[in-house]
Amino acid sequence: MKKVLILLSIIIVSCNSPKKEEKKTIKEWTLKEVIKIDGINPIGIALKGEELWLSDSDHNRLVQIDTTGNIIKTVNDFDRPMHIDANTTSIYVPQYGIDTVTVLTNNTRKVVPLQIELDAPAGVSTYKDELAIVDFYNNQIHYNNGNQWSSFGSEGNANGQFYYPTDVQITSNEIWVADAYNHRVQVFDKKGVFVRAIAWDQGINAATGIFVSKDEVFVTDFENDRVLIFDHKGVLKQELKDKVNKPTDMIIKENILYTLNYRQSTINAYVLESVLKK
Amino acid sequence: MKTKIIIMLILGLVSVSTIQAQKQRDDFKIQVDGLGCPFCAYGLEKKFKEFKGIKNVAIDIETGDFTFTFPSDKKLTLLQVKTQVEEAGYTPVTIKITRANGEIEVSEKEKE
């Protein structure tokens, strides 16, 4: 009987003792460096081959920098260049102030011929022979599949509608749009059909920039000084806040994530590290 | 000869005053609500570029202060400014115009 009582009390004590918190190893972006880019107020970032290019809209120019922030080259005389994009040979520059998209190849500039009348192009994306343009005041996306243009979107907050969109990215199967003042990201198929919205429940105040990598989606929360990281389905994975100040855009180069701080003229550099999480 | 000189003088005076009038500019100071990001600021700038002759445009995103100058002979009105700010997607809180001749015009809210 005594033995039974002892056994029972051991069981009870073990049941009431606090459970060991399970920890698992996950990978998170960790801030490694804040790079100063004095005199540049960056809005967009793009990789032309291995070259890092910034749009410095306040000074109407594009700037090529190295990974320590040194200016390598400056190209002037743009009119408010915003979210740029690039491939290995050319930089695509939406000129917000004069309603054109210009392609800069070496020192040659060509305007993308369009039938549509843009009203403040805020961003472009190029993917293979495809091109997409964000039309800020018309609340539309114009998409060229390599052969022809199509447009989608209108002003509003329903699915498929926009309220001042500012950035776009084409991926293999989808078109991602930073629907800035609906404070969300919308995803479309390449026919312009709405697929899903993400980030709408994260209290974002102006989702002005977007970058989609193979596994993740990076979204700038401009007013709240955050960069939010989601998986492609929209599940929040991480929030970057430390040293983030009026973020505008992001890119990954050689496994380093670069995020732009518009106001502070700095770029944050992050690396993926394994961390123990509850 | 005398008449010719007088006519020449009058013409000279008229042309000088015309040139001066063209050079004279009104100052505009607007407090704008809703200017959050550079896209907003440059959107506002873009919409005001439609007013040919606008110069010295300055926008402070943090404070919402928007200032510019405009040729006084074109007489840009409070209502035109208000409408254009709204067209750009924002709300003008106060508008103050200091005309080249020193006259000051303010929007209703500024008067309060």
Side-chain angles (χ1 to χ4, degrees), chain A:
Chain A
M1 182 62 186
K2 206 175 179 186
K3 274 185 181 173
V4 173
L5 279 174
I6 289 167
L7 262 169
L8 266 174
S9 56
I10 286 170
I11 289 166
I12 289 166
V13 167
S14 68
C15 282
N16 287 335
S17 66
K19 277 184 185 173
K20 261 196 175 176
E21 283 171 342
E22 277 185 29
K23 286 186 175 179
K24 59 177 179 178
T25 306
I26 58 166
K27 289 212 161 188
E28 282 201 337
W29 292 100
T30 309
L31 181 63
K32 281 290 155 191
E33 192 184 359
V34 177
I35 303 162
K36 283 190 177 177
I37 45 168
D38 290 335
I40 304 171
N41 300 106
I43 298 259
I45 187 166
L47 266 179
K48 181 190 162 203
E50 292 301 308
E51 301 171 3
L52 265 182
W53 283 84
L54 304 172
S55 58
D56 181 8
S57 188
D58 286 5
H59 303 101
N60 291 311
R61 62 181 182 168
L62 300 187
V63 182
Q64 185 195 346
I65 57 161
D66 64 20
T67 50
T68 59
N70 293 320
I71 294 180
I72 296 169
K73 195 175 177 183
T74 299
V75 185
N76 292 306
D77 300 324
F78 289 100
D79 195 325
R80 306 300 182 207
M82 297 307 226
H83 279 299
I84 53 174
D85 199 7
N87 54 28
T88 52
T89 56
S90 303
I91 305 172
Y92 291 75
V93 188
Q95 296 199 71
Y96 197 75
I98 53 169
D99 299 330
T100 56
V101 174
T102 301
V103 186
L104 178 69
T105 310
N106 298 323
N107 292 321
T108 310
R109 299 180 192 210
K110 271 188 181 172
V111 172
V112 175
L114 294 166
Q115 302 292 325
I116 354 144
E117 207 170 298
L118 302 173
D119 192 355
V124 289
S125 175
T126 176
Y127 179 83
K128 295 180 180 172
D129 57 351
E130 300 165 40
L131 185 68
I133 303 169
V134 190
D135 196 347
F136 183 78
Y137 275 115
N138 287 324
N139 289 292
Q140 282 198 313
I141 301 298
H142 309 295
Y143 168 67
N144 190 305
N145 63 5
N147 295 312
Q148 58 181 18
W149 286 96
S150 59
S151 300
F152 56 90
S154 60
E155 183 179 328
N157 57 17
N159 289 340
Q161 292 187 311
F162 304 118
Y163 200 57
Y164 301 116
T166 51
D167 200 4
V168 65
Q169 187 173 334
I170 307 169
T171 56
S172 55
N173 297 312
E174 293 169 320
I175 301 167
W176 299 69
V177 181
D179 187 8
Y181 285 87
N182 276 330
H183 315 297
R184 64 184 178 183
V185 168
Q186 292 197 71
V187 190
F188 298 84
D189 70 16
K190 293 203 173 168
K191 287 181 178 157
V193 176
F194 171 82
V195 177
R196 63 188 175 281
I198 70 164
W200 52 270
D201 54 350
Q202 296 299 328
I204 289 176
N205 190 354
T208 55
I210 187 173
F211 173 69
V212 186
S213 71
K214 186 172 159 279
D215 301 311
E216 294 174 311
V217 185
F218 302 79
V219 183
T220 60
D221 181 359
F222 187 83
E223 292 292 346
N224 294 322
D225 300 324
R226 299 186 299 168
V227 171
L228 301 181
I229 305 170
F230 301 86
D231 67 17
H232 281 203
K233 287 181 179 166
V235 177
L236 182 68
K237 292 175 73 178
Q238 195 182 344
E239 177 192 71
L240 307 176
K241 256 190 102 74
D242 186 29
K243 305 278 194 298
V244 176
N245 190 292
K246 300 290 173 277
T248 44
D249 207 358
M250 302 87 3
I251 207 160
I252 294 175
K253 180 181 190 281
E254 290 159 3
N255 299 319
I256 298 173
L257 167 68
Y258 296 97
T259 69
L260 309 182
N261 296 310
Y262 171 69
R263 272 266 168 235
Q264 285 191 325
S265 296
T266 55
I267 298 177
N268 294 355
Y270 302 82
V271 292
L272 261 185
E273 281 185 350
S274 297
V275 289
L276 269 178
K277 282 271 174 178
K278 284 176 193 173

